[in-house]
Amino acid sequence: MTGQEEEQYKKMTQTPIPRLITTLAVPTIVSMLVTSVYNMADTFFVSKLGTSATGAVGIVFSLMAIIQAVGFMLGMGAGSQLSRLLGAKKHREASEVGATAFYLAIIFGLLLTVFGLIFIDPLMRLLGATSTILPYARDYARYILLGASVMCASFVLNNILRGEGKATLAMIGIGTGGILNIGLDPLFIFVFNMGIAGAAIATVLSQCISFLILLFFFLRGKSLISLNIRNVSKHGKVYISIIKTGLPSLCRQGLASISTVALNVNAALYGDAAVAAMSVVNRIFMLMLSVLLGFGQGFQPVVGYNYGAKRYDRVRQSIRFAIGGGTVVMVILAVFGFIFAPQLMAIFRKDDAEVIAIGALACRAQCVALMIAPLSTICNMLFQCTGKAALATFVASCRQGICFLPLILILPRIIGLLGVQLTQPLADMITMVICIPLLKRFFRELKKEEAAFSEG
């Protein structure tokens, strides 16, 4: 073991849990917030082009969720595994997993580009575009598809760095691109007079900058993982293991895309204002949830390392700290969002009273559910980073799949637009109830593993 590897191992298995998770979570939260802010910047600047253009951002957000689903599947699949491998001091195997996921992401991204561009109009209609939204959605999506490989690979590099406990480096890469995007949006949209296509170009350029910065860290040896193409595995079981471990992320992100499509299709029945309102609400809540997701992603490598190192006491402590700390933060954000919901909506469409009214109610309902979101989110991340892929996949499928999809099909038919507004909050609450017995069972099994290790 090299000096850098030994130092990182000690940090991950000996630093007090509250300090360690917080240290890793803060840069991750910052990078998640920056990502959410530049997504909101797209919505904000594009909203100046009209209600249909604002709706188009929500439509293409589903496409970006598909790209993210592939990137997160490979990135989280690699990151979760290499945390445990590094904790078990298996560094060669960790590099094999990281390099395999990286090159696989580039290939998958190219496939998304080719098929997406060939079927772009049918794809946009499938994602919920109305006839008035379609031209804007097509212009936006074309450039996003061209950047699919870079986006997928960036997600992998980002998650590898987080998985090995180098969250600050991940933050620098993602954060720089995000800040650049915020500056480029008005330049391309208004100064270069490129309209909604300008917002897409700004997004792709910023993603390319993020990718180059992240790649630089690997090339300069800042990571414990080598991306040398010779490290790409020749064994099918490595590919299966990456995809299996990353499947919860694929389900989470993929179902997020499907649920957004279902939401857009049902909202479209009530006009472009409803599509635009729900698009804005989604962006606002991605900003709030990014804090929780960042906190959880700071929690994951700590649990992965310590689970691999058989430090079960630290695993338990990490879970309790993450759920407790996440709940406190989410309650604060939820109260703020509930009080200022109309003002938050007005930032994006201040001249459209219908958009504000529809969005404010949906926003407040989401705030109520946000308070209980930490338990299910941490539960999902816990199962994934400890290698319990089936449980993690089930939990990941609940929020925007198993619970959401039946509700979005039933509620609008019973209570109309209100059903569209209430579907996600109700799905969140049901998911939390499902997670409680699963978490209790995990603690029981962890105690058995600890007893078996002690006896051995």
Side-chain angles (χ1 to χ4, degrees), residues 81-93:
Q81 279 197 79
L82 64 87
S83 287
R84 297 195 302 277
L85 289 168
L86 292 172
K89 301 185 180 180
K90 297 179 179 179
H91 296 90
R92 184 185 63 78
E93 291 90 337

Side-chain angles (χ1 to χ4, degrees), residues 24-255:
L24 294 178
V26 168
T28 306
I29 290 170
V30 170
S31 61
M32 294 289 287
L33 282 172
V34 170
T35 300
S36 293
V37 167
Y38 82 65
N39 282 334
M40 290 181 72
D42 275 354
T43 304
F44 175 77
F45 290 117
V46 169
S47 70
K48 306 301 179 186
L49 302 174
T51 298
S52 295
T54 306
V57 176
I59 299 300
V60 180
F61 185 72
S62 302
L63 173 63
M64 293 180 72
I66 294 170
I67 297 171
Q68 288 175 354
V70 174
F72 270 116
M73 175 187 70
L74 299 173
M76 293 298 293
S80 297
Q81 279 197 79
L82 64 87
S83 287
R84 297 195 302 277
L85 289 168
L86 292 172
K89 301 185 180 180
K90 297 179 179 179
H91 296 90
R92 184 185 63 78
E93 291 90 337
S95 282
E96 183 180 18
V97 168
T100 301
F102 174 70
Y103 292 104
L104 206 55
I106 293 174
I107 294 170
F108 278 20
L110 287 172
L111 291 174
L112 285 170
T113 298
V114 172
F115 286 101
L117 289 175
I118 291 173
F119 301 106
I120 191 165
D121 275 18
L123 179 60
M124 291 302 99
R125 291 192 185 95
L126 180 65
L127 296 180
T130 63
S131 57
T132 49
I133 288 175
L134 179 60
Y136 294 99
R138 183 196 303 121
D139 288 346
Y140 194 90
R142 184 179 292 115
Y143 293 99
I144 296 299
L145 284 165
L146 288 172
S149 256
V150 168
M151 293 169 71
C152 285
S154 291
F155 285 124
V156 171
L157 296 179
N158 188 36
N159 280 288
I160 288 174
L161 288 171
R162 287 175 179 167
E164 63 180 284
K166 301 288 182 68
T168 301
L169 296 182
M171 176 193 71
I172 293 170
I174 297 298
T176 303
I179 292 168
L180 181 65
N181 194 165
I182 295 168
L184 290 178
D185 262 343
L187 182 67
F188 281 94
I189 295 172
F190 304 116
V191 177
F192 295 160
N193 200 30
M194 297 181 71
I196 196 168
I201 293 171
T203 296
V204 173
L205 282 177
S206 69
Q207 290 282 349
C208 288
I209 296 298
S210 289
F211 171 76
L212 291 173
I213 292 171
L214 291 168
L215 185 61
F216 173 79
F217 293 140
F218 285 85
L219 296 177
R220 289 300 300 270
K222 301 292 184 182
S223 169
L224 302 177
I225 304 302
S226 169
L227 297 177
N228 192 308
I229 198 165
R230 288 194 295 267
N231 288 328
V232 174
S233 179
K234 299 178 180 64
H235 305 290
K237 65 179 182 179
V238 174
Y239 294 83
I240 293 171
S241 181
I242 290 170
I243 292 172
K244 180 182 174 183
T245 307
L247 193 59
S249 295
L250 176 65
C251 288
R252 185 166 53 244
Q253 295 294 325
L255 287 170

Side-chain angles (χ1 to χ4, degrees), residues 296-310:
Q297 289 179 7
F299 153 84
Q300 277 189 301
V302 176
V303 170
Y305 253 92
N306 285 282
Y307 191 77
K310 313 295 185 186

Side-chain angles (χ1 to χ4, degrees), residues 416-434:
L417 178 58
L418 183 61
V420 177
Q421 295 164 306
L422 294 183
T423 291
Q424 188 64 72
L426 288 174
D428 288 348
M429 292 177 183
I430 296 169
T431 301
M432 186 272 292
V433 172
I434 291 171

Side-chain angles (χ1 to χ4, degrees), residues 312 316 445-456:
Y312 300 114
R316 273 192 295 271
E445 291 178 352
L446 191 67
K447 189 173 289 187
K448 291 178 183 177
E449 289 183 48
E450 187 175 25
F453 177 69
S454 299
E455 291 171 5

